[in-house]
């Protein structure tokens, strides 16, 4: 885990955090008693999820979801300004385009 996440090696882990990860390791790997979270996109092992949550906390990163990809989602429009949406756009550009069409600042 240290090699793949940097925890312990590059990012300090205190005794309480390590104890929590060790408990999760025991439940997940040794006892095999915890269940994976399965979504349409991935399977999440509890130990992996806990390690990533700790890593995120340590480095100050937050995610709104763990169950989606970064792939493009098609967005279609019909009407006189439909061409404004014709190319692949980042999802944050869609509201900006709508404001531009409606002349809203």
């Amino acid at each position: 885990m240290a090699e793949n996440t940097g925890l312990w090696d590059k990012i300090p882990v205190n005794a309480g955090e390590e104890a929590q990860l060790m408990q999760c390791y025991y439940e997940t790997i040794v006892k095999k008693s915890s269940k994976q979270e399965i979504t349409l996109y991935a399977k999440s092992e509890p130990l992996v999820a806990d390690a990533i949550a700790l890593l995120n906390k340590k480095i100050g990163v937050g995610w709104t979801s763990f169950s989606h990809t970064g792939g493009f989602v098609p967005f279609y429009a019909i009407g006189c300004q439909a061409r404004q949406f014709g190319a692949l756009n980042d999802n944050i550009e869609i509201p900006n385009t709508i404001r531009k069409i409606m002349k809203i600042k």
Side-chain angles (χ1 to χ4, degrees):
M1 195 178 300
E3 183 179 321
N4 292 317
T5 66
L7 292 170
W8 289 280
D9 183 34
K10 294 182 172 78
I11 302 167
V13 176
N14 67 39
E17 294 162 339
E18 184 170 351
Q20 184 178 353
L21 287 174
M22 292 303 290
Q23 179 64 34
C24 188
Y25 172 84
Y26 179 74
E27 295 290 328
T28 303
I29 306 300
V30 177
K31 286 178 60 178
K32 298 184 186 316
S33 63
S34 58
K35 296 180 181 178
Q36 293 181 346
E37 180 182 331
I38 300 173
T39 68
L40 292 174
Y41 303 102
K43 294 179 185 175
S44 178
E45 296 282 347
L47 179 59
V48 172
D50 281 5
I52 291 173
L54 177 60
L55 179 64
N56 291 340
K57 179 179 137 191
K58 293 284 191 175
I59 64 174
V61 172
W63 307 98
T64 57
S65 173
F66 293 104
S67 60
H68 66 87
T69 66
F72 288 104
V73 176
F75 184 85
Y76 302 97
I78 298 172
C80 62
Q81 295 292 325
R83 70 183 184 285
Q84 299 291 331
F85 300 98
L88 286 176
N89 296 305
D90 192 298
N91 64 347
I92 63 171
E93 289 302 315
I94 294 170
N96 294 335
T97 303
I98 292 169
R99 280 192 289 275
K100 180 180 168 188
I101 291 168
M102 296 181 70
K103 299 178 181 162
I104 299 172
K105 292 186 180 188

